[in-house]
Amino acid sequence: MATAATTADAARQAKYLPNVKLNDGTEIPIVSYGLGTANYKGSRTGFVQKIVDDTVAAVKAGFTHLDGAEVYGNEEELGAAIKASGVPREQLYIVTKYHAKPAGTVEESFALSLKKLGVDRVDLYLIHSPFWEGVTDEQIQKRWAELEAIQASGRATSIGVSNFLQKHLEPLLKTAKVKPAINQIEFHPYLQHGDLVPFHRKHGIATSAYSPLTPLVRAKGGPLDPVYAKLAKKYGVTEGDVGLRWVIDQGIVAITTSSNAERLQNYLPHLSSFQLTPAEVDEISKTGATHHYRAFWTANFDKDDRS
């Protein structure tokens, strides 16, 4: 039976960390544990138990939204963590992504992802990027039609994209029978993407932010440092909590990660303890806009490209 304390915690989380409703009528948890960055296998071979242990720790800390990808190389570990967590499948929100490539079919990649994950469906399946060799608008449209077929089969509840800009979304939308439910992008105060998020909202596409703490972990020493410090002191939380709330308070899904058990335990309680005011969100946005930093996919953009 739930105690008064756990009931109060759940109420605060529901208030301060509400699910985001997608254009297909489903809902996605607004905070996600990411299997990229620190959990990325890279050149490591063989099964990595630490990835399993860290992911199980995240689930036990209250994370139900688990964001994976084919290219991370750790779908087997994610699958093992899902099983080891002991949490019923229907209580987890599982995401994986198709590693776009010139040859082969999406179906082939998706079937292998399901096998590695040890599940018969995912909650969200994304095209990981529009940056493959020789990519054309027609290829993007074809890949999207393949995702639509996977969704129609019932093996992916929602479908979307990742790292797409407006110039990639526009041709997709011309032929799409189903609009993308979400676009997962690198998003933080130093990379706000100009008109991309408003374009999402206009078309009913949700936004998901990876690397939201870039100003603190990759671009320390920028103009936001004193702003984050001031707000962290005001609310009695960490600067990272402030950075995540800046994303959440705009109705954007925040993807974060950690292998630190104490930090994992504190994420959701801290994020459920406060909200930034609209003026504070605006202060962070305006200060962040004075400095540009992109952490990922840098080879696909000019140095000063803020799109």
Side-chain angles (χ1 to χ4, degrees), residues 140-160:
I140 289 175
Q141 292 166 343
K142 182 178 182 296
R143 296 290 188 277
W144 183 251
E146 292 180 79
L147 258 74
E148 290 177 332
I150 287 170
Q151 184 187 39
S153 75
R155 293 171 296 156
T157 303
S158 300
I159 53 176

Side-chain angles (χ1 to χ4, degrees), residues 22 28 93-96 122-126 156-160 181-182:
L22 302 178
I28 183 172
Y93 192 96
I94 301 170
V95 182
T96 196
V122 295
D123 296 276
L124 179 62
Y125 192 49
L126 308 177
T157 303
S158 300
I159 53 176
I182 201 164

Side-chain angles (χ1 to χ4, degrees), residues 14-303:
K15 177 181 179 181
Y16 291 111
L17 299 174
N19 290 345
V20 173
K21 190 167 185 178
L22 302 178
N23 60 22
D24 57 15
T26 64
E27 294 186 354
I28 183 172
I30 201 166
V31 180
S32 172
Y33 181 77
L35 272 290
T37 55
N39 291 302
Y40 188 91
K41 281 177 73 171
S43 60
R44 289 180 289 177
T45 58
F47 190 84
V48 181
Q49 184 61 39
K50 187 177 186 306
I51 296 174
V52 179
D53 296 341
D54 289 348
T55 306
V56 170
V59 174
K60 292 186 180 301
F63 287 86
T64 58
H65 177 177
L66 306 174
D67 183 80
E70 174 187 352
V71 77
Y72 298 163
N74 55 22
E75 287 177 312
E76 290 183 4
E77 285 85 353
L78 174 54
I82 291 167
K83 184 176 181 180
S85 72
V87 175
R89 167 66 186 89
E90 61 271 15
Q91 294 180 21
L92 297 175
Y93 192 96
I94 301 170
V95 182
T96 196
K97 308 177 191 74
Y98 163 66
H99 178 40
K101 45 190 96 63
T105 66
V106 179
E107 173 60 36
E108 291 168 344
S109 294
F110 181 68
L112 184 57
S113 288
L114 287 185
K115 182 178 179 180
K116 289 180 177 180
L117 291 168
V119 298
D120 58 8
R121 69 168 185 91
V122 295
D123 296 276
L124 179 62
Y125 192 49
L126 308 177
I127 299 177
H128 204 146
S129 88
F131 305 126
W132 64 87
E133 185 179 354
V135 62
T136 64
D137 289 351
E138 291 74 20
Q139 286 179 345
I140 289 175
Q141 292 166 343
K142 182 178 182 296
R143 296 290 188 277
W144 183 251
E146 292 180 79
L147 258 74
E148 290 177 332
I150 287 170
Q151 184 187 39
S153 75
R155 293 171 296 156
T157 303
S158 300
I159 53 176
V161 295
S162 180
N163 297 298
F164 275 49
L165 303 179
Q166 183 172 334
K167 67 182 180 181
H168 305 116
L169 288 167
E170 286 174 338
L172 184 156
L173 291 170
K174 284 181 181 179
T175 61
K177 296 177 181 177
V178 176
K179 282 186 179 181
I182 201 164
N183 185 16
Q184 184 184 120
I185 56 175
E186 178 183 346
F187 183 80
H188 47 78
Y190 293 157
L191 185 61
Q192 298 180 49
H193 288 278
D195 294 330
L196 182 58
V197 173
F199 179 85
H200 289 169
R201 290 177 176 141
K202 176 182 176 182
H203 291 276
I205 300 169
T207 304
S208 180
Y210 69 81
S211 200
L213 300 183
T214 288
L216 293 166
V217 298
R218 295 176 181 269
K220 193 72 175 170
L224 272 173
D225 286 15
V227 179
Y228 279 146
K230 174 188 69 175
L231 293 172
K233 182 178 180 180
K234 173 184 174 180
Y235 290 109
V237 295
T238 69
E239 294 176 23
D241 297 327
V242 173
L244 292 175
R245 281 269 24 145
W246 177 80
V247 173
I248 294 164
D249 288 332
Q250 297 180 76
I252 293 172
V253 175
I255 302 171
T256 190
T257 191
S258 178
S259 59
N260 182 294
E262 182 179 359
R263 189 173 298 130
L264 282 172
Q265 288 291 333
N266 287 332
Y267 265 134
L268 298 180
H270 282 189
L271 293 173
S272 300
S273 70
F274 76 108
Q275 283 179 304
L276 298 174
T277 67
E280 289 164 347
V281 171
D282 190 55
E283 179 184 11
I284 293 172
S285 299
K286 287 181 177 177
T287 304
T290 67
H291 183 71
H292 173 63
Y293 186 93
R294 184 188 302 275
F296 296 93
W297 300 97
T298 54
N300 300 97
F301 298 90
D302 294 331
K303 182 179 179 181

